[in-house]
Structures are given as C-alpha cells and as structure tokens.
Amino acid sequence: MRLRLAAVAAVAILLGACATIPVTERDARVIEVIDRFNTVEPSDFITQSGVPFLFNDQVLYAESDLVAILDRLREGGLVIAPRVIANDPARPASADARFDVQVFHDRLPPDARFVTVPSNAGDVTLILAGEANRLPMLVGLVRGRL
Amino acid sequence: MKLLFLVLFALAAAGLQAQDATIVYLAGDVDVRTEGGASFAADFGDELDSGDRVITRRTGEAELELTTGGTVNVGRDTVFIIGSTTGPTGEPTSRVAAAVGSFSFRFSAAVGNEPRIGSTTSVAGVRGTEVRVYVGSDGTTRYEVLEGLVEIEDAARSVTLGPEQAIEITPGAGVGPANVFAFLEQPIDYGVWNAGLVDGFLADPLPSLRGIAAEMQDLLDEIRRRAPEVEALLALSAEESGRLDEIEKADGLEARQEYFRDTVMPARRAARAAFVDFRFVVLSALSLDQHIFSRLAAEMEAWAFFDPDTGLIDEFRSELAAIRSQYEAVVVPWLVPSDLPWRF
C-alpha cells in the first residue's frame, strides 16, 4: 500500500513538474517546431512564429516580410537538423547592439530561450519564446551561436 | 528618452492634441500605435491624432475619415502614418504617408485644405483628387491618379499628374516627366509588384541601398536642423509653466489664470505644433529603418546565408552600418522603446 502511494505521489510530482516547465525548454517540443520549419510552407508556418522576428541582426516587424525571408531561406535550401546542441536562457543584447536589437532582446518574455541546432548552413540559433499550438514560437533565427 | 516621455505626456495631458482622423471601417487585424507609444487593436470610431500610426496585418484593412476632409483606405500589410504640417497661409494641414504598403485617398470636401500625401521618401500635394499610393519594400513610391491633379515634389523639381497617369519614384532618383506613364484603372497586385521590386534590388543591391541612404540622409539633416528650435520651444513651454506657482504666490490666483491663458497656453500650442511636425520626420526615419532597411538587409542576409563572407555582403553591411550609425546618433534619442511594435 505504501509503495503504491509513493508511486502515485511520484507520478503526480512528475506531471506537476512537466506542467510547469515551459515548452521552450522541452527539447522534444523544440524538435517538433524544427520539423514544422523544415516541412510546412512559410505562409502556414507563420502561425508558429511571430513578429518582431530577429533574423541575424535585422528585426522584421511585418508578417509579410517574415514570410518573404522564410521563403528565401527555403528556396536557398536551408534545412535544420532535429537535434538540440544547447538550450540556454535568452541573454540581453550586447551593449553595442543597435537600438531596435536591444529593444527586441529587452522585451523577450521570461521563458525565452536560445536554442543552438545544426543546419546545412552550419550551426544556427533559434530564439524561442511563448507558445502557440502547444509548441514554442520561433521569434528569431541567427546564424552561428548567440 | 526620459525627456521625450515627459514631453509626450505633458503635451497630451495639456489637452492640445487635435483629432486628425477617425476610423470608420475595419476588416481583419488592425492595430493603432499612438504618438505616445501606446498600442491597441483598432476599433470603429477610434479617434487618431498626429503622430499616430495605423498598422494593418496580412488580413487587415481600414478606412479613415480625415478631419480636414478626405477618406483614406489603408490596404493590407501597411504602416500608415498620420501627421500634420502648417500650410502656406499658416493653416494646419494633414500629412499622411505609408512607410510601406498601400493606401488610396479621396478628397471629399467641397473647398480644399487638401492634405499632403505620400511615403517616407516622397511627398505630393493633391487637388480635388482620388489617388492610389503604393510603397514598396525598397522604398519605391508609386502614385496612380484616378481624378484631379497630383503634384509630386522633391528638393529639385516637381511634376504634375492628371487622371489616368502614374509615376514610380525610386529612392534617390528624383522625379521627372520622363517617369510618368498611363496606367490601367484596376489596382495592381501589391504583392506581385513588391516582389518584383525586391528581386530588382537583389540583382544590383548597392545602388538601391545608396538611393535609400540618400533619402535617410535628407531626413537626418532635417532632424538635425529642426531639433534645436523644437528643443527651445519645449524648454520655453516648460519654463512658462514653471512660473505659474511663483506668479500665484506673488499676485494671486487671478494673475495665475491670466498668465496661463495669455502666455502658457500659446507657448504650449507653439511647442506642440513644432513637436508634432518634427515627430512626423522622426517617425519617417524610424519607419524607413524598420521597414525598408531591415527588410532589404534581411533579404541580403538570406541570400548570403550559406556563404556569409562574400565581398558583396561585406560591402553592403559596411555601407548600411555607416548610415545606421548616424541614425542611432540623430534619431534614436528622439525615440522611446514603445515606438517599436511588439506582440507575440
């Protein structure tokens, strides 16, 4: 009986912990977003993304601009590998960053993460923040490691 | 930046904002970003002031009635700025522009105080007009005149368009009669037109960048030239307001009220008028950076994503960084973080 109670308590604690971990920190959910990025048309992927969007050091404010850039990357053949190298909390922009880039970083919500993943253009950093469709939202894509 | 916050708050609180437009129709996703930086979903009947921006998303459209007369239909995917300026005889005149996207304008008043219309890089005067304006992601502005006359100006010269005439003005290229052409009455497909402009930019990016940089330089020069006058008027307004307590203490409440009416309010009105006009230029520079430079630079970064060290991208980055460093020094001190849109 005691053993059964302990097992139930352990499951409850585990479920509780899962419920409080943001989706941006769950690698399995991140990989689902990567899968959508690689396979879904950019005009549909936009529901999993959001503006402002940081692309390298450019902040895009219009959804149509973001779709155009994602289209351009798709045409160029960008494929992101479904493997997480690092999943770290988001950090502030460097002190010499432009005003718009600093504001972008300053306004990232507390669950924002910098997730480094491999791609056929080298390692890229995905900036994930918030949640849509029970998955993290992609709000930035930066070449290399942030 | 803190000073700017206080100025915006003080001038708004002083009740000096004049309603310049009203939202009379909405469809889809439309936001309003006020001069003071507040942002909210647009609604029927919302009153808009100089310095406010209407931002339509991919599915959004809005119709505005301008207080000075005229109806504006703001198309999808458009950043639309409402401003005001002082006309040749001192009367307030609306000044409306798209930073990117499209709008149409129809003047509806019998007697004219027609607004100035255009983009962040081009301005036109209108006379009894129905006109469509498209602003591409490379800063190109296209005017199509359906009725009346439109006079498009740049620093060097002007050109007048009549019905069924159109013109496309490329940043930095100036206007001229040779650019005028006849057009079909059906509206163009903005997305197709804009994609063509971006492809044209990518085929030869540096001349386009230099043209837009020249337009930004003009805005930066105007901000530099006008900032001292605006700062002086704001300081005078603050100084006059600050004397009210002293006057009341010395000469009583009636003297305070008289001073407020005869001295403080005119000073505030003058500061407000100068600031609103100035702020339109600041927001034009901001919009040029946000919607033209950023989009084109992102296109270049996407193009070079697999090979980021080509000579062309280095040259592009270097020239863009040069103009943006001036932007950071001249424009950013007049911005607050809430001038930048945010929602996800």
Side-chain angles (χ1 to χ4, degrees), chain A residues 9 12-13 17 30 35 50 52 60-61 74 84 96 110 113 117 129 137 146:
Chain A
I13 288 166
V30 173
D35 181 55
L60 299 170
Y61 294 93
R74 174 69 59 89
V84 173
D96 61 348
R113 309 287 291 186
V117 292
M137 286 176 71
L146 262 181

Side-chain angles (χ1 to χ4, degrees), chain B residues 50-295:
Chain B
S50 290
D52 291 352
R53 284 168 283 169
V54 176
I55 301 165
T56 58
R57 308 280 166 183
R58 288 193 302 157
T59 58
E61 290 176 70
E63 185 174 310
L64 318 178
E65 291 280 357
L66 300 184
T67 305
T68 51
T71 306
V72 176
N73 285 287
V74 183
R76 295 174 182 189
D77 253 330
T78 297
V79 177
F80 184 77
I81 312 171
I82 298 159
S84 67
T85 187
T86 307
T89 55
E91 78 285 2
T93 302
S94 295
R95 182 175 171 184
V96 295
V100 70
S102 63
F103 70 93
S104 63
F105 170 77
R106 194 173 62 252
F107 193 64
S108 53
V111 182
N113 180 14
E114 290 98 331
R116 315 276 288 159
I117 64 169
S119 65
T120 55
T121 59
S122 167
V123 64
V126 297
R127 290 203 292 275
T129 301
E130 186 169 355
V131 60
R132 289 194 289 251
V133 180
Y134 304 88
V135 185
S137 293
D138 70 340
T140 296
T141 309
R142 175 184 171 116
Y143 296 89
E144 293 180 349
V145 181
L146 302 171
E147 275 180 37
L149 297 172
V150 170
E151 188 176 19
I152 294 139
E153 304 152 16
D154 67 11
R157 56 182 170 171
S158 69
V159 67
T160 302
L161 303 184
E164 296 178 20
Q165 287 190 314
I167 192 169
E168 284 192 14
I169 302 163
T170 307
V175 300
N179 308 114
V180 177
F181 56 92
F183 73 98
L184 300 171
E185 200 167 301
Q186 285 300 315
I188 59 171
D189 183 324
Y190 176 81
V192 172
W193 177 74
N194 194 39
L197 293 175
V198 173
D199 287 344
F201 158 79
L202 284 171
D204 196 6
L206 291 177
S208 295
L209 174 65
R210 287 168 192 152
I212 304 161
E215 301 287 354
M216 177 64 94
Q217 189 67 60
D218 287 346
L219 292 170
L220 297 177
D221 290 346
E222 192 174 349
I223 292 168
R224 278 195 190 99
R225 182 173 56 78
R226 290 168 65 172
E229 184 203 342
V230 171
E231 283 170 329
L233 285 168
L234 291 170
L236 178 67
S237 171
E239 191 184 312
E240 298 293 7
S241 299
R243 295 187 62 194
L244 284 169
D245 288 344
E246 182 190 320
I247 287 169
E248 186 178 350
K249 206 170 173 184
D251 303 317
L253 183 61
E254 204 170 311
R256 178 194 177 107
Q257 287 168 341
E258 192 180 327
Y259 192 79
F260 181 79
R261 188 185 62 235
D262 297 342
T263 307
V264 175
M265 281 308 283
R268 283 187 186 175
R269 281 200 192 95
R272 163 86 191 159
F275 182 76
V276 164
D277 211 4
F278 177 74
R279 179 103 169 125
F280 186 89
V281 185
V282 169
L283 290 179
S284 295
L286 168 71
S287 297
L288 195 59
D289 183 66
Q290 277 186 327
H291 299 287
I292 308 293
F293 276 152
S294 291
R295 165 70 188 269

Side-chain angles (χ1 to χ4, degrees), chain B residues 30-41:
Chain B
V30 181
D31 289 339
V32 172
R33 182 156 289 269
T34 69
E35 180 196 20
S39 183
F40 53 86

Side-chain angles (χ1 to χ4, degrees), chain A residues 43 46 50-52 55-65 67-69 72-73 76-78 97-100 103-104 107-109 120-121 124 129 137 139 141-143, chain B residues 1 33 57-58 77 137 195 198-199 202 289-291 293-295 297-299 301-308 317 320 324 328 332 335-344:
Chain A
S43 55
I46 199 82
V51 287
F55 176 59
N56 282 0
D57 66 342
Q58 304 303 324
V59 184
L60 299 170
Y61 294 93
E63 284 181 356
S64 56
D65 286 351
V67 170
I69 296 305
R72 200 69 76 181
L73 292 171
L78 177 67
R98 293 193 320 273
F99 174 68
D100 57 342
V103 171
F104 175 90
R107 288 179 173 173
L108 284 171
N120 56 349
V124 296
M137 286 176 71
V139 298
L141 171 65
V142 177
R143 201 173 194 287
Chain B
M1 261 196 285
R33 182 156 289 269
R57 308 280 166 183
R58 288 193 302 157
D77 253 330
S137 293
V198 173
D199 287 344
L202 284 171
D289 183 66
Q290 277 186 327
H291 299 287
F293 276 152
S294 291
R295 165 70 188 269
E299 289 282 355
E301 295 291 335
W303 170 78
F305 205 72
F306 286 86
D307 186 10
R317 284 177 184 148
L320 180 61
R324 270 185 159 163
E328 291 282 316
V332 168
L335 298 178
V336 290
S338 51
D339 281 327
L340 303 179
W342 189 261
R343 63 170 212 176
F344 56 67

